[in-house]
Amino acid sequence: MTERTTIERAELGKGGPVVGVQGLGCMGMSEFYGDTDEAAARATLDAALAAGVTLFDTADAYGYGANEEFLAPFVAAHRDEITLATKFALERRTDDPAYRGIRNDRAYVRRAVEDSLRRLGVDVIDLYYMHRRDPAVPFAESVGTMAELVREGKVRHLGLSEVTGAELREAYAVHPIAALQSEWSLFSRDVERSAVGAAAELGVAFVPYSPLGRGFLTGAFTDAAADLSAADFRRYQPRFTGDNAKANAALLDPIREIAAAHGASPAQIALAWVQQRAAVHGLTVVPIPGTRKPERVAENTAATRITLTAQELALLEPIAGRVAGDRYPDMTFSSAAREE
């Protein structure tokens, strides 16, 4: 029997798009992880599609819109083959690179979607996420405005990012939500407090971002200051620095042990664990690991064909509870900060 080389497919939400069970996060192709080889990044997009990846994820905040513009030619060439996801809500300022604001108000949503449509060169966005939530803006206004975009034909399906279970239920009451995108990995499991259960209950797909712990779970880093370029934002993330990094590196031993047993890489085991959350929690799970290298696409998608045993899952279970450092230097914008 010939081994399957393309990934399986799954539906996002009730009546949502059918996509490959692993997507591609495109953020790093434009910003945050140091310089990008554009030719390699474009080859990565092609390799992903060839492997069965059809969900391509971007946001208006990535590179101040440059990531959407970067994707536009690929989108134009493969419009009927892919599901295009982008986001709004993170406001940035070119004159103050450190600034991060959150905007969920009606006027901002309407301006943001028009800007994204223009940069992407499309008439409709397949999956439109609220990137972060401003609790001061009621879902009746924010999701209500997003629902208007669906009725107007500018957006096909709605998504949310970094919301709690209670917030997901509240938003869903305004308009059906196809997908919830939040960080979920062997290093980050706070979404299991309420968001995962709510998503399963409502039939909302879960789209884990940073399923490789921003690369830490690959085992490729031992010293962020030495191993990562000055332009790489991970040098300033709590889990990558100082004593935290040393403590977290020690947590990778069981991942390496299991990888050796499967003839796989640590990254593949970490991704297989995330993919297997679908069976554990009874919901659709479509992680979006990011990469800029075609060979990494082949490695990542192969993880969808690895099944971890109950004993292996038990070995991995304690890791998240032992991780040193928060996900972000400032957790204010995360769903974890709003959990009761």
Side-chain angles (χ1 to χ4, degrees):
M1 177 182 291
T2 302
E3 183 179 358
R4 178 167 49 86
T5 56
T6 59
I7 60 178
E8 295 181 351
R9 296 166 74 83
E11 184 178 56
L12 295 182
K14 299 175 181 177
V18 176
V19 301
V21 293
Q22 188 179 111
L24 181 66
C26 300
M27 178 185 79
M29 296 179 178
S30 297
E31 195 180 11
F32 299 111
Y33 292 105
D35 294 336
T36 293
D37 180 328
E38 183 173 333
R42 294 202 178 280
T44 300
L45 296 174
D46 292 334
L49 186 60
V53 172
T54 58
L55 177 62
F56 292 83
D57 183 272
T58 182
D60 61 3
Y62 301 159
Y64 301 90
N67 196 238
E68 290 181 328
E69 293 174 343
F70 171 81
L71 284 176
F74 176 77
V75 172
H78 302 286
R79 189 67 188 99
D80 295 335
E81 302 171 77
I82 69 170
T83 294
L84 177 62
T86 192
K87 316 176 195 73
F88 76 91
L90 276 180
E91 185 180 39
R92 301 182 65 188
R93 297 173 180 169
T94 55
D95 61 347
D96 183 3
Y99 176 80
R100 296 289 188 278
I102 300 180
R103 293 282 302 274
N104 292 173
D105 58 278
R106 176 182 172 82
Y108 187 84
V109 176
R110 288 210 157 265
R111 183 169 76 248
V113 75
E114 296 297 340
D115 288 345
S116 286
L117 288 167
R118 172 180 51 78
R119 285 190 293 260
L120 289 162
V122 298
D123 296 323
V124 59
I125 294 165
D126 299 318
L127 178 58
Y128 199 42
Y129 287 101
M130 179 192 296
H131 205 162
R132 292 292 186 272
R133 179 164 190 224
D134 177 1
V137 179
F139 282 121
E141 177 177 348
S142 56
V143 177
T145 303
M146 295 168 73
E148 291 173 5
L149 302 180
V150 175
R151 292 192 289 271
E152 294 166 10
K154 296 178 180 179
V155 169
R156 290 196 172 103
H157 305 281
L158 303 186
L160 300 173
S161 180
E162 288 284 351
V163 298
T164 67
E167 289 171 336
L168 177 59
R169 291 187 180 92
E170 185 180 349
Y172 198 99
V174 177
H175 189 279
I177 303 298
L180 169 57
Q181 181 179 140
S182 292
E183 186 167 353
W184 198 9
S185 74
L186 279 168
F187 267 21
S188 301
R189 298 179 60 177
D190 52 83
V191 293
E192 294 175 25
R193 295 178 199 166
S194 68
V196 170
E201 172 191 318
L202 296 168
V204 175
F206 210 103
V207 178
Y209 72 80
S210 296
L212 292 172
R214 295 184 176 82
F216 206 115
L217 289 162
T218 68
F221 310 107
T222 55
D223 184 341
D227 299 337
L228 303 176
S229 73
D232 195 312
F233 88 120
R234 290 173 293 182
R235 289 181 59 153
Y236 312 102
Q237 299 298 299
R239 293 177 177 176
F240 281 80
T241 57
D243 291 340
N244 286 349
K246 294 177 184 177
N248 293 334
L251 299 176
L252 302 183
D253 288 345
I255 302 174
R256 292 192 179 95
E257 178 184 332
I258 294 168
H262 283 268
S265 68
Q268 288 175 316
I269 298 306
L271 284 171
W273 181 90
V274 175
Q275 301 278 176
Q276 220 159 317
R277 299 301 90 191
V280 171
H281 293 280
L283 78 169
T284 297
V285 176
V286 181
I288 50 169
T291 184
R292 298 173 289 184
K293 298 178 180 179
E295 60 269 25
R296 289 286 179 251
V297 169
E299 178 182 346
N300 291 346
T301 54
T304 67
R305 297 184 280 277
I306 296 174
T307 301
L308 302 176
T309 67
Q311 292 81 3
E312 289 167 339
L313 292 174
L315 199 61
L316 298 172
E317 184 65 24
I319 291 177
R322 298 171 181 167
V323 172
D326 285 331
R327 295 196 276 128
Y328 295 102
D330 179 0
M331 291 287 286
T332 305
F333 292 174
S334 72
S335 58
R338 299 190 303 277
E339 287 282 4
E340 296 181 356

